[in-house]
Amino acid sequence: MTEGVQRRRAGAGERYDVFHTDCLARDMVDHVTSRWGVWVLISLRRNDLRFYELRESIQGISEKMLAQTLRALVGDGLVWRKVEPTAPPQVTYGLTDFGREVGEPLTELFDRITRRLSALDTA
C-alpha cells in the first residue's frame, strides 16, 4: 500500500536511495526488471512494433499483462506509443533514447547467455 506515502525526488547532485520503498528510481527498476518488462525492451531493440506484433513476439504474455507492462514503461519514459486514428486503432510502440540506453545492458546480457548456451550445445 502506498496510501499516505510521499514520494521524495532527489535534489540536484543527490542520488536516489533504491533501497527505500518510496524511491522513484526503484519503481522504474521494478518495471524494467519485471517478468515482462525485460522482454518488451528486448523485443523493441531492433524495430518499432505494433501491439499484436509485440504480443506474438513474446510467447506466453497475455494481452492484459502486455498492456499493463507497456503502460508502465511508457509512463517511465522508456517506451513511446503512437496511435493511428483508424478503425480499429493501430498502436505502435518503440524505444525512446532513454529506453535504448536502459535496454542495452539487458540485450547484452541476453546475447551473452544465448551465445554461452549455443557454445554448450556444440560442446
Side-chain angles (χ1 to χ4, degrees), residues 4-114:
V5 174
Q6 288 215 325
R7 298 202 177 265
R8 187 180 74 83
R9 293 193 178 274
E14 281 186 69
R15 293 185 55 104
Y16 284 92
D17 182 2
V18 295
F19 296 104
H20 199 278
T21 57
D22 66 349
C23 178
L24 295 173
R26 181 177 177 159
D27 288 343
M28 190 176 295
V29 169
D30 286 345
H31 295 155
V32 169
T33 60
S34 70
R35 178 175 181 185
W36 301 113
V38 170
W39 298 116
V40 168
L41 293 176
I42 290 173
S43 292
L44 292 172
R45 74 184 184 264
R46 291 195 177 102
N47 298 351
D48 304 337
L49 298 172
R50 302 226 320 254
F51 184 88
Y52 78 90
E53 293 171 320
L54 258 173
R55 191 184 69 229
E56 288 177 6
S57 73
I58 305 171
Q59 297 285 308
I61 192 168
S62 68
E63 284 190 25
K64 177 183 176 185
M65 286 310 303
L66 179 56
Q68 287 177 355
T69 302
L70 286 167
R71 195 174 304 117
L73 295 174
V74 167
D76 290 339
L78 298 165
V79 172
W80 56 260
R81 177 180 189 265
K82 178 181 170 189
V83 180
E84 295 290 330
T86 59
Q90 295 179 350
V91 184
T92 305
Y93 295 90
L95 294 178
T96 63
D97 289 340
F98 182 47
R100 289 194 187 290
E101 186 179 329
V102 169
E104 193 174 303
L106 299 173
T107 299
E108 185 177 317
L109 175 65
F110 177 76
D111 291 344
R112 282 185 186 201
I113 290 170
T114 55

